[in-house]
Structure formats: C-alpha cells, structure tokens
Amino acid sequence: MNYLATHPAEVLSLALAHLELVAIALAIAFAVALPLGIVAAGASRFSPWLIGALAALYTIPSLALLAVLVRWLGLGATPVVVALILYAQFMLVQGVVTGIRGVDPAQIDAARGLGFSERQLMVRVALPQATPVILGGVRIATVATISIATLAGYVGARSLGTLIFNGLTLHQNQMLVAGSVATALLAICADAGLRALTRLSEARLR
Amino acid sequence: MSGATIGFDDVGVRYADADGDALRGVSFDVASGEVVAIVGPSGCGKTTLLRTVNRLVEPTSGAVLIDGVDVRTMDAVALRRRVGYAIQAVGLFAHMTVAENVGIVPSLLGWPRDRIDRRVDDLLERVHLDPKRFRDRRPRKLSGGEAQRVGVARALGGEPGVLLMDEPFGAVDAIVRAALQDEVTRVVRDLGTTTLFVTHDVHEALRIADRICVMNGGRVEQLDAPAAILANPATDFVRRLFEGARA
Ligand SMILES: Nc1ncnc2c1ncn2[C@@H]1O[C@H](COP(=O)(O)OP(=O)(O)O)[C@@H](O)[C@H]1O
Ligand SMILES: [Mg+2]
C-alpha cells in the first residue's frame, strides 16, 4: 500500500489513462453491439450463430488475442482498445438481445396494432422496456473491460496495468499491489454506479 | 369522426405453418356506427378475422374494405392509426403514464400538445376515470378493470372510425365486467364508432351487440340480430351455443 501513498499523482494519472481506454472501448463497443443486438433479437435463426461466435471470441485468452492484434496493429493503445471492443461484444449483445426478447409481447402487439412503425416500436417501446437488462450487460462488460485493460501495460499503453507489469519485472511488490488494488477499486466503483443506474431505470417501469 | 363501414369480401386466411385454413369464405358488411360481436369456440378464427381489418394478418384470398377501399392499398401504419385496437392482455406501455398511453396515437399522428391533452381528458372521463387522479399514474398502479378502461380509451385516442376489440373485458371479474361492457358500449355509441369485438361470452354479445357473428371452424355460421339468433338459429351449432342464454 505504501506505493499508493508515496506516488498518488502517478497512480491517479494511470487510473485516468485506464478509464480513458475503458470509456473509449465501451463507447465504440456499445455503438456496435446495440444495432447488432437489435438485428439479432428479431432474427431467431441468425442470433444463435452470432451469440455463439461472440462467445467463442470471448473464450480466447486475452493475452493471445492481444498478441495477434499487436502483430497486426502495432504496439500502443489501439490493439488494447480493439481487444476490449471484441471482448465486450458478447456481454453487450447478449444484454440487448435478452432485453428486447423479454419485452411483454402484449405491449409489442398493442404498439404494432396502434400504428407504431417498426422503428418507433423499437425506439419508443422495446428499448425503453429493455433498458434495465441492457444496462445489466453494460455493467458486466464494464467490470470485465476494466480488468482486461490492465493488459495495456504489456504493450506499451498507459493504464493501471503499467504498475502491475513494472512491478512484476522490477520485483516491486508494492507497485504490483498498488496497481491491482486501484484496478479493483475502479471496478467496484463502476459496478456500484451502474447498479444504481439500473435501479433508476427499473423504477421508471414501475 | 363518424364510423367507417367495413366489408369482408370472401376472405380466406391460411397461416404459413398451418395445414388448415384459419378463415374460409367470410363475407359480410358492417354499417357505419354498428356494433358487431364475434362469438365462437376457441380457435375458430375470431382473432384472425379481427386482425385482417388492421392488416396484422393479411388475407390469402378475398379482400377487406374500409369505407369501400381495399385495406391492402393503404399504408399499414397509417391504416392502424385510423383503426382502434384493444386486446385482452391490454398491453399498456409500462414506461408511460396513463395520459401518455391514451395520447399515444394522437402523438404518432402529430397532433398539437393541447389537442392531445383535451382528447386524453375527454376519453378518461368517458371511461369513468377521473383525469386528475389517473393522468399521471403508471399502468402497474392500476387495477385490472382500470387498466382495461385505459386500454379502450387508448384504442379510441386517434378518433378512429373503426374500433377492434379482442376480448377486451376478459381479464376482470363478472361485476366489473358488466359495468365495463355497458360503459364502453355507451362510449362507442356516443362517438358513432363502428365496432367489431370478439368475445367468448354469449351473454355479453346478446347484451351489447347490434348483430352477432357466430363463427365455427373458420366460417361464419350465422350473422344476425340477437333476437333473430335466439328465435331462428341457422344451424344446430348456433342453437347449442345460445341454448343456455335463451332460458
Ligand atoms: N400466427 C399463427 N400461425 C399459425 N396458426 C395460427 C396463428 N394464429 C392463429 N392460428 C391458428 O388459426 C386458427 C384460428 O386462430 P384464432 O383466430 O386465434 O382463433 P380464436 O381467436 O377464435 O381463438 C387456430 O387454429 C389457430 O391455431
Ligand atoms: Mg382469440
């Protein structure tokens, strides 16, 4: 714990860099997953294939995936962000599909019968109702992304992982512990924040 | 807006994954402002017939006409905004208030805010829900009977010329149900809305319909005024269906 106390500015700056990686990756990942999930939710033949492929992607060890991406994209933040986007797809798309499929069929039937276009039905009925489940997917993806983003330390991008890998190579246990503890704290805070947001979105449905 | 006429012209429906026809050779006309009940055993095609009017089901043969115009020539979304639709499961939008639910079709139609507000209050009063108490309530906070009233009010939101109701009073107890039947019938008669409603309750049909359409196996067995059906059942099936009711 000493390292945290003696180098607060460095840890804070690495934590901010870590959060930046996570935020960029999640924003892009969600922008991809939302339309993908909407299409998959309506296409019962296509969706098992898509979810299966994303699950398979998710099971690739992160170091192996990162190694491949580095060979292709070079060192730095880019391969990390791409890896995070790919990993998050499984959890995000799953959340969108489950959320949309879980919407009360009577509300869908009523909306169609009252003259909602398919787009209005999605935007004004299905997505608002699916929001708590979609946010659940975002929460799990965020926690996983915060943890996986430590790998950035391996490929020369700044993140809390930098402390972990420097700690490992320099045999500085306190550095390693500081990086790990700070990462865990970030994950716990993000989890709590998104839980609160999910509860808020549920309250709107009551 | 006064009621539109509806015409069924030799309508047949066969669902893609079914081996039999859900509807066969259904032909009849509904006059402006008329209230027609559709009765018959489960699976006889009542819901299917109703849903051909707003194109949730497309006939495989024949045609459905509103005010003499084949519904297939109309844009389905525009058509549905002119045709009210209420179902047994109600399907009130859980994330919207009662007022937002009732005002949803006017809002899709692009009415100005104040016209929507007036329409919502008027309809809530018609179905005996005090706007001041109910406007801002969420559907979860409504009793079964209140929810079904809101469902009917929502169906009437856009001043439709036709109202379709699929067992709209199904999910409430007998006393609430009788009150609802009377209220809703009064509302549609006041507004002059042509109404087709499905029910499995022959007493309900006898009480509130101008004419009753008795269906069996995808066909119309008889279409007549309640008194005529009781006095002269066209087939054994019709006689048996109404036997208890005549006594
Ligand atoms: N979407 C559908 N796909 C296939 N068959 C259907 C579908 N909807 C209804 N059917 C069949 O069509 C027939 C008529 O159904 P329906 O109109 O729902 O009857 P009712 O409302 O009188 O109970 C039934 O045999 C039913 O199983
Ligand atoms: Mg039915």
Side-chain angles (χ1 to χ4, degrees):
Chain A
M1 274 316 209
N2 285 351
Y3 194 89
L4 256 178
T6 49
H7 300 77
E10 190 199 346
V11 176
L12 182 67
S13 126
L14 287 173
L16 289 177
H18 196 107
L19 276 182
E20 192 182 341
L21 276 183
V22 169
I24 292 171
L26 280 175
I28 299 173
F30 190 72
V32 175
L34 186 63
L36 217 52
I38 289 173
V39 171
S44 49
R45 254 173 233 193
F46 160 68
S47 63
W49 292 95
L50 178 71
I51 303 270
L54 295 177
L57 193 64
Y58 186 64
T59 61
I60 300 174
S62 36
L63 267 178
L65 180 66
L66 197 57
V68 172
L69 290 171
V70 164
R71 183 169 295 181
W72 179 38
L73 298 165
L75 288 170
T78 314
V80 181
V81 169
V82 172
L84 294 177
I85 292 170
L86 292 176
Y87 275 120
Q89 288 311 303
F90 175 54
M91 294 164 279
L92 293 175
V93 171
Q94 182 92 288
V96 174
V97 171
T98 312
I100 292 175
R101 292 235 173 110
V103 176
D104 173 16
Q107 291 180 50
I108 302 285
D109 186 38
R112 201 166 274 132
L114 289 166
F116 284 66
S117 66
E118 291 304 304
R119 188 194 167 83
Q120 287 167 331
L121 197 151
M122 188 52 66
V123 173
R124 295 175 72 159
V125 178
L127 289 177
Q129 305 264 341
T131 299
V133 179
I134 295 176
L135 279 179
V138 170
R139 181 171 60 82
I140 297 168
T142 304
V143 171
T145 303
I146 287 174
S147 141
I148 300 170
T150 52
L151 291 180
Y154 231 17
V155 294
R158 277 164 53 80
S159 81
L160 288 169
T162 309
L163 290 177
I164 297 174
F165 288 100
N166 287 351
L168 279 173
T169 38
L170 305 174
H171 301 287
Q172 295 271 342
N173 273 341
Q174 293 192 351
M175 224 179 192
L176 195 159
V177 170
S180 309
V181 168
T183 307
L185 280 176
L186 275 190
I188 290 167
C189 291
D191 184 70
L194 284 164
R195 263 180 211 282
L197 206 61
T198 307
R199 267 198 302 276
L200 269 176
S201 74
E202 274 166 354
R204 281 195 327 129
L205 301 180
R206 262 185 233 121
Chain B
M1 173 172 170
S2 65
T5 63
I6 308 171
F8 295 98
D9 181 9
D10 198 23
V11 173
V13 170
R14 171 180 289 239
Y15 288 105
D17 47 350
D19 25 64
D21 291 336
L23 290 181
R24 269 181 301 161
V26 174
S27 294
F28 67 92
D29 293 316
V30 183
S32 169
E34 199 178 13
V35 176
V36 172
I38 305 170
V39 301
S42 175
C44 72
K46 304 182 295 294
T47 296
T48 302
L49 181 65
L50 206 67
R51 287 161 69 95
T52 59
V53 178
N54 62 2
R55 290 187 61 189
L56 287 173
V57 170
E58 304 278 9
T60 25
S61 59
V64 179
L65 315 171
I66 291 184
D67 280 337
V69 181
D70 188 339
V71 294
R72 253 173 316 193
T73 65
M74 308 179 198
D75 175 62
V77 167
L79 164 73
R80 288 170 195 160
R81 291 173 186 175
R82 292 179 43 212
V83 174
Y85 184 57
I87 53 180
Q88 178 175 1
V90 194
L92 294 181
F93 305 126
H95 59 296
M96 299 183 193
T97 63
V98 165
E100 286 166 341
N101 268 280
V102 176
I104 194 68
V105 175
S107 121
L108 292 172
L109 289 169
W111 289 15
R113 188 72 258 161
D114 57 330
R115 184 175 169 206
I116 297 178
D117 287 340
R118 270 182 278 122
R119 180 72 181 161
V120 168
D121 287 347
D122 176 49
L123 284 170
L124 286 177
E125 271 162 16
R126 282 176 190 274
V127 297
H128 295 193
L129 296 173
D130 178 10
K132 279 198 283 298
R133 277 180 57 213
F134 284 94
R135 265 191 150 271
D136 298 323
R137 252 194 231 180
R138 295 279 178 186
R140 295 260 156 99
K141 298 265 153 73
L142 301 173
S143 71
E146 288 163 354
Q148 294 200 314
R149 285 182 164 88
V150 175
V152 173
R154 179 178 65 177
L156 291 167
E159 299 180 347
V162 172
L163 175 62
L164 308 174
M165 297 195 286
D166 198 343
E167 308 201 22
F169 316 123
V172 291
D173 62 65
I175 298 168
V176 175
R177 189 163 167 170
L180 262 176
Q181 289 166 7
D182 291 342
E183 279 167 29
V184 170
T185 322
R186 191 158 355 99
V187 173
V188 296
R189 290 198 190 282
D190 285 352
L191 295 171
T193 314
T194 308
T195 302
L196 273 185
F197 78 98
V198 170
T199 177
H200 58 257
D201 178 351
V202 293
H203 296 92
E204 181 174 315
L206 289 168
R207 250 155 57 85
I208 65 182
D210 295 316
R211 284 192 297 162
I212 301 174
C213 171
V214 184
M215 293 186 64
N216 188 26
R219 290 179 171 281
V220 176
E221 292 267 332
Q222 187 170 5
L223 178 74
D224 235 324
I229 286 200
L230 290 180
N232 302 306
T235 62
D236 272 356
F237 173 82
V238 177
R239 189 177 45 75
R240 275 198 304 276
L241 191 66
F242 285 89
E243 217 153 39
R246 197 170 5 189

